[in-house]
Amino acid sequence: MDTFEVPSLVDSPSNSNITDLLLERVATTPKLDLFELPKNDSWREVSGADFLEQVQALAKGFIAAGIQPGQAVAIMSKTRYEWTLCDFALWFAGAVSVPIYETSAPDQMQWILSDSDSVALIVENEDAYLRFEEIKDHAPLVRQVWRLDGDDLASLSRLGKEISADTLEMRRTAAKLDDLATIIYTSGTTGRPKGCELNHRGFVDLCRNAQLELPEVVYAGASTLLFLPLAHVLARFISVLCIYGGIKVGHQPDAKNVMPSMLSFKPTFLLAVPRVFEKVYNTAEQKAESTGKGAIFRKAARTAIAYSKALDTAQGPSLGLKMQFKFFDALVLKKLRAAMGGRVRYAVSGGAPLGTRLGHFYRALGLIVLEGYGLTETTAPALITRPSSIQIGKVGSPLPGCGIKIAPDGEILLRGSNLLRGYWRNPTATADAFDGDWFKTGDIGSLDENGYLSITGRKKELIVTAGGKNVAPTQLEDPLRADPIIGQAVVVGDRKPFVSALIFLDPEMLPLWLTNHQLDPKMTLEQACREPVVLAEVQEAVNRVNRRFSTAEQVRKFALVPADISEDTGHLTPSLKIKREKVLTDFDDFVEEIYASGAPTGGIDVLGE
């Protein structure tokens, strides 16, 4: 199969926009809690009616402050309640919101503010404000800056008291389905970020159809804890979907506090990238190891995975496997469920493949991971797994109103009402991105007979070895990162005689892992990269991954790099995608060393040895 389309389940009125999703929710269930705000060690509820009142007051404030219909206002903050409050208030005021990652450097801020013609900026705190101060002369259209950590929003609401309800309603209804709602800039893995023009239709149609298609997940009274950046399109879409669906939302921007927050908030579903699921598993395993229960945990995990796999067979799990699973579930797995709040049933995962091992583990745990696929250009999800037809290892089929086609060269093409209108002020890039009304994703994949998608990798990232073998690096990198000690892996080999990899240790997991192996937990990354026990662990991880591939596709040598690559170092995007060119440029000496020493031998190569 090379084409699969799913008709829309509902058509939105052409004169509607995103604000109608909130109004419909409040009209249906005004007292239903849509948010919970952290308050000491507990949470404080905010009903739909209360949220709408705050949105309307703030929108009047934006109008009184001079924000005009269609003007762009940027938001730069961690994930928090006020982010969504400002987002909806700007839409009620008829404005266009422009997200900026709160970790963005001043020059990144400058590009987005100037390119989008933003006339105002909302920042979280003094640190972000000072970054703006560095570049404000290069963003002359930004005439107002408001901070979330002070009294600015309250002052705006007071300022808007003289704005009439009729004026607000005129502003709220000015934008139609096909009008611009937001400009979201791409992560910039291969160059300067491009502004994706997303209209109201993409959010509205996707929300209405997703609620009908996924009633097990999207229902009034469900809850989720958002910790991914709201500047990312997926978290942004989910925040809008939750309001329309009546799902209570809590926010936790600090990754270190996610698990404690889950314990108190008790969400029914989660939104995360695969790295989060890997971290949860690896942390649980290493903590079990530190208490002498590592072998029991691994046995429980193997049993859980075997049990889940057996669920997909005609005969199902055997009686013996059922009994074994029940034993380990009571002994080990229920504790992990309790640590996640005890109510989580579903999770939405995107950004990269989760992998079958973790997919089966979490399903046995009672957490069904619905893998999705989409891009900024598709207003986030275009495809997602259905709870009633799980196919672990695939990213689902199109949502209603969306279509997918596989081009002759394997590239994934998408179309639907969720597609971007174009790239902001970049007609050349817009024209290059489309084949008729099909958007060219740049990803490579295949469809099965049910329209479920398997992703191979990025078209531009395919490695062609000197022997002519095509290798998709992500198929090697993703399973390598599943090892608890490996933070990142970057596969190399384009026009080289064999495939190799730069491997970076996980600095957060390393001390616990070293302790569990009777090694000094305070050793530096450089020391750890030369430690024989660490080298042996990484070699075994490489061996496990290599068993899945032909000799020409295997990682034949690797270099352990004594460095931490992250968003702060400029090597990862805010959504944790690798900036491949940046990594290969900055660590070129390691690559040169790998290939300078000739053909593969033992498989281990550390610069300086």
Side-chain angles (χ1 to χ4, degrees):
M1 177 179 291
D2 61 4
T3 303
F4 193 87
E5 297 190 74
V6 179
S8 179
L9 296 175
V10 60
D11 293 322
S12 305
S14 60
N15 63 345
S16 62
N17 62 41
I18 296 172
T19 66
D20 290 296
L21 300 179
L22 173 57
L23 293 178
E24 290 175 26
R25 170 46 55 194
V26 174
T28 305
T29 55
K31 295 182 179 180
L32 182 69
D33 293 331
L34 292 185
F35 297 94
E36 283 197 354
L37 310 183
K39 184 180 181 181
N40 299 323
D41 293 329
S42 61
W43 300 81
R44 176 173 62 85
E45 295 83 4
V46 178
S47 70
D50 289 341
F51 178 67
L52 175 59
E53 183 179 343
Q54 293 176 35
V55 165
Q56 291 171 327
L58 184 56
K60 289 181 178 181
F62 285 134
I63 294 170
I67 301 300
Q68 298 299 312
Q71 286 187 325
V73 176
I75 305 175
M76 181 178 176
S77 168
K78 291 181 180 178
T79 293
R80 55 189 289 171
Y81 170 75
E82 291 83 1
W83 210 117
T84 301
L85 175 64
C86 290
D87 210 14
F88 269 84
L90 289 170
W91 284 326
F92 266 71
V96 173
S97 49
V98 180
I100 302 177
Y101 283 99
E102 55 90 17
T103 53
S104 295
D107 62 328
Q108 294 171 317
M109 293 176 62
Q110 176 190 325
W111 166 248
I112 293 175
L113 290 171
S114 58
D115 186 65
S116 65
D117 286 344
S118 290
V119 300
L121 171 65
I122 300 167
V123 298
E124 183 171 24
N125 50 32
E126 183 179 11
D127 174 67
Y129 180 79
L130 292 176
R131 274 179 275 167
F132 169 72
E133 284 283 295
E134 293 183 37
I135 54 91
K136 66 179 181 179
D137 291 342
H138 301 285
L141 295 181
V142 179
R143 61 177 185 269
Q144 298 178 90
V145 181
W146 298 294
R147 284 172 52 173
L148 299 180
D149 63 348
D151 190 47
D152 287 0
L153 295 191
S155 296
L156 274 170
S157 296
R158 290 192 295 269
L159 180 67
K161 287 185 178 295
E162 301 303 316
I163 301 297
S164 69
D166 288 343
T167 298
L168 177 61
E169 182 65 6
M170 182 179 65
R171 285 293 196 91
R172 184 191 74 79
T173 58
K176 310 305 179 188
L177 272 188
D178 293 320
D179 288 325
L180 188 63
T182 184
I183 304 172
I184 302 182
Y185 283 77
T186 58
S187 56
T189 54
T190 58
R192 189 179 284 276
K194 301 189 292 288
C196 297
E197 302 173 8
L198 301 182
N199 55 26
H200 286 266
R201 183 185 296 276
F203 287 90
V204 173
D205 281 358
L206 274 179
C207 283
R208 295 190 189 280
N209 281 281
Q211 184 193 40
L212 293 173
E213 188 72 2
L214 301 168
E216 306 95 332
V217 183
V218 184
Y219 60 89
S223 60
T224 190
L225 184 70
L226 277 183
F227 46 87
L228 294 184
L230 278 166
H232 188 275
V233 67
L234 181 55
R236 184 95 168 284
F237 166 74
I238 291 294
S239 72
V240 177
L241 175 64
C242 287
I243 286 174
Y244 178 65
I247 299 170
K248 183 170 59 180
V249 176
H251 301 88
Q252 177 49 262
D254 189 342
K256 295 179 181 178
N257 293 328
V258 168
M259 292 301 286
S261 294
M262 287 175 63
L263 192 60
S264 61
F265 187 80
K266 303 184 187 306
T268 62
F269 87 91
L270 295 176
L271 171 68
V273 294
R275 190 60 178 150
V276 172
F277 296 107
E278 291 169 354
K279 285 277 191 179
V280 170
Y281 178 92
N282 290 339
T283 300
E285 180 187 38
Q286 291 304 306
K287 285 185 176 179
E289 190 75 45
S290 67
T291 58
K293 298 178 181 178
I296 295 175
F297 180 89
R298 286 187 287 275
K299 177 63 175 176
R302 287 194 297 270
T303 301
I305 292 168
Y307 179 81
S308 175
K309 288 181 177 179
L311 292 175
D312 294 332
T313 64
Q315 64 272 23
S318 66
L319 178 60
L321 181 55
K322 287 180 181 178
M323 294 177 63
Q324 195 175 23
F325 173 71
K326 185 177 181 179
F327 170 78
F328 281 115
D329 186 64
L331 186 66
V332 177
L333 302 180
K334 73 174 184 180
K335 297 177 182 178
L336 190 50
R337 276 197 301 274
M340 298 168 68
R343 298 178 64 222
V344 178
R345 287 286 295 118
Y346 296 99
V348 176
S349 175
L354 177 67
T356 57
R357 180 181 66 92
L358 287 180
H360 283 296
F361 173 78
Y362 281 107
R363 179 167 70 168
L365 190 69
L367 175 60
I368 297 175
V369 181
L370 306 176
E371 289 201 71
Y373 172 71
L375 305 92
T376 304
E377 290 87 344
T378 64
T379 320
L383 297 88
I384 195 166
T385 305
R386 307 302 197 269
S388 59
S389 56
I390 300 296
Q391 294 190 38
I392 292 174
K394 297 182 179 181
V395 296
S397 59
L399 280 164
C402 301
I404 182 171
K405 180 168 70 171
I406 305 298
D409 64 354
E411 183 173 8
I412 300 167
L413 309 181
L414 300 174
R415 73 176 172 190
S417 61
N418 57 324
L419 287 184
L420 79 165
R421 192 171 71 179
Y423 291 111
W424 179 255
R425 290 179 171 167
N426 198 335
T428 300
T430 301
D432 291 343
F434 283 88
D435 181 2
D437 59 350
W438 290 96
F439 176 74
K440 298 185 287 187
T441 66
D443 290 320
I444 302 294
S446 61
L447 290 176
D448 67 14
E449 65 278 5
N450 298 312
Y452 269 57
L453 174 67
S454 297
I455 300 175
T456 304
R458 290 288 295 170
K459 186 176 180 180
K460 291 182 180 179
E461 292 179 355
L462 281 178
I463 288 171
V464 183
T465 66
K469 182 65 177 178
N470 287 354
V471 178
T474 55
Q475 289 192 304
L476 294 160
E477 293 164 350
D478 291 336
L480 280 173
R481 283 195 296 268
D483 189 272
I485 203 172
I486 296 176
Q488 293 293 338
V490 180
V491 169
V492 184
D494 198 43
R495 298 186 299 276
K496 301 292 186 181
F498 55 86
V499 174
S500 65
L502 302 180
I503 293 180
F504 302 80
L505 300 178
D506 186 334
E508 292 183 13
M509 190 66 67
L510 185 61
L512 180 57
W513 189 92
L514 291 170
T515 299
N516 290 339
H517 288 78
Q518 292 76 51
L519 296 169
D520 182 7
K522 296 181 180 180
M523 70 171 61
T524 65
L525 280 176
E526 186 169 359
Q527 291 170 330
C529 285
R530 304 191 190 295
E531 167 58 50
V533 178
V534 172
L535 288 167
E537 170 71 15
V538 175
Q539 179 68 70
E540 179 53 35
V542 171
N543 293 343
R544 285 195 301 268
V545 174
N546 279 344
R547 294 186 192 109
R548 309 179 190 182
F549 299 94
S550 67
T551 301
E553 298 170 293
Q554 292 175 354
V555 174
R556 305 294 302 284
K557 296 178 72 172
F558 66 84
L560 272 184
V561 183
D564 177 23
I565 62 173
S566 63
E567 184 187 353
D568 290 339
T569 65
H571 298 103
L572 302 181
T573 71
S575 56
L576 304 183
K577 292 185 177 68
I578 295 170
K579 292 186 178 180
R580 202 169 296 275
E581 291 183 10
K582 171 73 171 170
V583 171
L584 295 181
T585 297
D586 289 356
F587 301 103
D588 178 64
D589 50 352
F590 286 85
V591 177
E592 291 298 320
E593 182 75 10
I594 287 175
Y595 291 102
S597 57
T601 52
I604 294 177
D605 188 2
V606 181
L607 188 66
E609 281 202 335

